[in-house]
């Protein structure tokens, strides 16, 4: 059990082909497959970072919700947003935070970003801070399927990010189960290629399917706090999956809920990292 003494109360984020490149350089899509004219790169197993910009990081920070949703205020989320702004800016991202977005505003915002030209960017990142349920995330007025937001950046929808990393970090509940924990003993050749439209995504969820996700009302969520700390320490040294493994380690071992609600005290959490990345990702050039 961790010796960490939490300050403030913890709460949860949920209710109690073929393709061809035309003369103008546009990638053409057909039958759900994208064709890429990849630039020769010294290491075919690493994403190319030799672009003028690392890329955009879009942050949607939902704190206040309409009464009809039954969702409470997400105290502590503004600290998460500040941490993300500082951490991702230091990694070279252009960070933009949008607060208290309805589901329509969320989809419109990400649709607009997906239609922008990312040809001079190495990647794209999105951080979603809100209430949620399994497969869904809340705007201030209702919930929407996460897939409806993710698919805007598929290879057949956002051609200027084809073959580039698309990173989504989701701080939200995925259900209402609690994890009480258990005691344990310590211890490229330049050729034209066809790639799946769902390739090169990484989804980093704050918790596994079906479970609550914890947020400290004073210091922010366990997941975002750990993510920002590990990215700050190791983001320019380690590959992204190594960083995320350390995030998992910190959340799993360093945190335990402190709550006055019956049955909610002393709970644990483990993030869930889902990767469709096809290469290693290092933030340094």
């Amino acid at each position: 059990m961790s010796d960490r003494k939490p300050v403030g109360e913890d709460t949860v984020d949920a209710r109690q082909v073929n393709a061809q490149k035309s003369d103008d350089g546009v990638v053409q899509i057909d039958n759900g497959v994208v064709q890429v004219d990849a630039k020769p790169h010294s290491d075919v197993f690493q994403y190319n970072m030799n672009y003028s910009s690392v890329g955009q990081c879009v942050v949607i920070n939902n704190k206040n919700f309409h009464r009809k949703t039954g969702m409470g205020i997400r105290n502590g989320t503004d600290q998460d947003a500040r941490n993300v702004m500082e951490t991702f800016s230091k990694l070279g991202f252009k960070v933009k935070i949008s607060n208290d977005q309805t589901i329509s505003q969320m989809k419109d915002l990400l649709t607009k970003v997906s239609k922008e030209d990312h040809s001079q960017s190495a990647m794209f990142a999105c951080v979603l801070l809100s209430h949620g349920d399994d497969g869904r995330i809340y705007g201030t007025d209702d919930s929407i399927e996460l897939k409806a937001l993710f698919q805007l950046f598929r290879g057949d929808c956002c051609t200027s990010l084809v073959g580039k990393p698309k990173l989504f970090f989701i701080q939200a509940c995925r259900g209402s189960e609690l994890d009480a924990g258990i005691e344990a003993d310590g211890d490229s050749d330049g050729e034209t290629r066809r790639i799946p439209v769902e390739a090169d995504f990484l989804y980093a969820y704050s918790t596994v399917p079906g479970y609550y996700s914890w947020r400290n009302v004073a210091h922010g969520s366990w997941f975002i706090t750990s993510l920002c700390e590990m990215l700050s320490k190791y983001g320019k040294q380690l590959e992204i999956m190594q960083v995320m493994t350390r995030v998992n380690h910190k959340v799993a071992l360093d945190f335990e809920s402190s709550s006055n609600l019956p049955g909610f005290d002393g709970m644990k959490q483990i993030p869930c990292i889902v990767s469709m990345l096809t290469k290693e990702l290092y933030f340094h050039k």
Side-chain angles (χ1 to χ4, degrees):
M1 183 176 295
S2 172
D3 293 329
R4 176 183 179 271
K5 302 296 184 182
V7 178
E9 185 176 352
D10 294 303
T11 187
V12 293
D13 286 331
R15 180 179 298 152
Q16 299 293 175
V17 10
N18 298 322
Q20 295 181 344
K21 193 172 184 180
S22 62
D23 293 338
D24 59 3
V26 176
V27 179
Q28 303 296 325
I29 313 298
D30 187 26
N31 295 332
V33 180
V34 181
Q35 186 171 346
V36 187
D37 289 330
K39 298 178 183 178
H41 190 235
S42 59
D43 189 338
V44 296
F45 294 109
Q46 287 187 20
Y47 284 108
N48 183 13
M49 291 294 290
N50 292 318
Y51 290 88
S52 59
S53 170
V54 172
Q56 293 188 55
C57 176
V58 174
V59 182
I60 295 178
N61 177 36
N62 290 339
K63 179 178 181 179
N64 304 289
F65 297 83
H66 296 181
R67 182 178 298 178
K68 67 178 182 179
T69 65
M71 297 295 171
I73 297 176
R74 298 184 61 253
N75 292 317
T77 192
D78 290 335
Q79 182 61 47
D80 279 348
R82 286 190 291 269
N83 286 344
V84 169
M85 169 67 82
E86 180 180 355
T87 301
F88 281 75
S89 293
K90 287 181 178 179
L91 290 174
F93 286 94
K94 297 176 182 178
V95 183
K96 179 181 179 181
I97 299 175
S98 297
N99 296 311
D100 288 345
Q101 300 288 289
T102 65
I103 55 172
S104 177
Q105 289 173 325
M106 292 168 67
K107 190 165 185 179
D108 287 349
L109 170 62
L110 291 177
T111 297
K112 179 181 178 182
V113 174
S114 72
K115 294 183 181 300
E116 293 176 4
D117 181 9
H118 300 268
S119 60
Q120 298 304 309
S121 298
M123 67 185 80
F124 169 75
C126 178
V127 182
L128 302 175
L129 310 171
S130 192
H131 286 299
D133 205 340
D134 203 9
R136 305 186 70 85
I137 194 160
Y138 274 82
T140 57
D141 59 338
D142 204 348
S143 67
I144 185 173
E145 284 192 356
L146 282 164
K147 183 179 180 180
L149 303 180
F150 297 158
Q151 68 184 9
L152 297 170
F153 295 89
R154 286 181 9 158
D156 52 353
C157 298
C158 183
T159 57
S160 60
L161 283 173
V162 167
K164 300 176 181 179
K166 295 161 279 283
L167 314 177
F168 287 84
F169 302 92
I170 305 101
Q171 168 55 43
C173 283
R174 304 180 73 185
S176 56
E177 292 187 55
L178 293 165
D179 187 340
I182 190 168
E183 296 297 328
D185 293 334
D187 157 42
S188 171
D189 54 17
E191 292 181 357
T192 299
R193 301 179 180 221
R194 297 167 67 235
I195 65 174
V197 296
E198 300 280 4
D200 303 300
F201 280 86
L202 182 139
Y203 305 110
Y205 295 92
S206 59
T207 190
V208 292
Y211 280 81
Y212 279 124
S213 182
W214 292 92
R215 168 176 36 84
N216 185 277
V217 298
H219 300 295
S221 64
W222 301 357
F223 174 64
I224 296 297
T225 297
S226 301
L227 173 68
C228 291
E229 180 180 334
M230 294 300 108
L231 283 174
S232 295
K233 287 183 176 180
Y234 306 110
K236 294 189 176 181
Q237 303 172 31
L238 302 179
E239 199 275 329
I240 187 64
M241 293 304 294
Q242 292 177 303
V243 175
M244 296 313 300
T245 298
R246 297 190 181 203
V247 172
N248 280 5
H249 180 89
K250 182 172 179 63
V251 173
L253 299 182
D254 287 5
F255 292 90
E256 189 171 289
S257 66
S258 175
S259 175
N260 292 323
L261 293 175
F264 278 66
D265 191 53
M267 295 295 111
K268 303 292 288 183
Q269 179 178 320
I270 181 68
C272 178
I273 315 303
V274 181
S275 175
M276 275 76 80
L277 298 181
T278 58
K279 299 181 182 180
E280 298 166 357
L281 172 58
Y282 292 89
F283 288 109
H284 60 80
K285 291 186 178 181

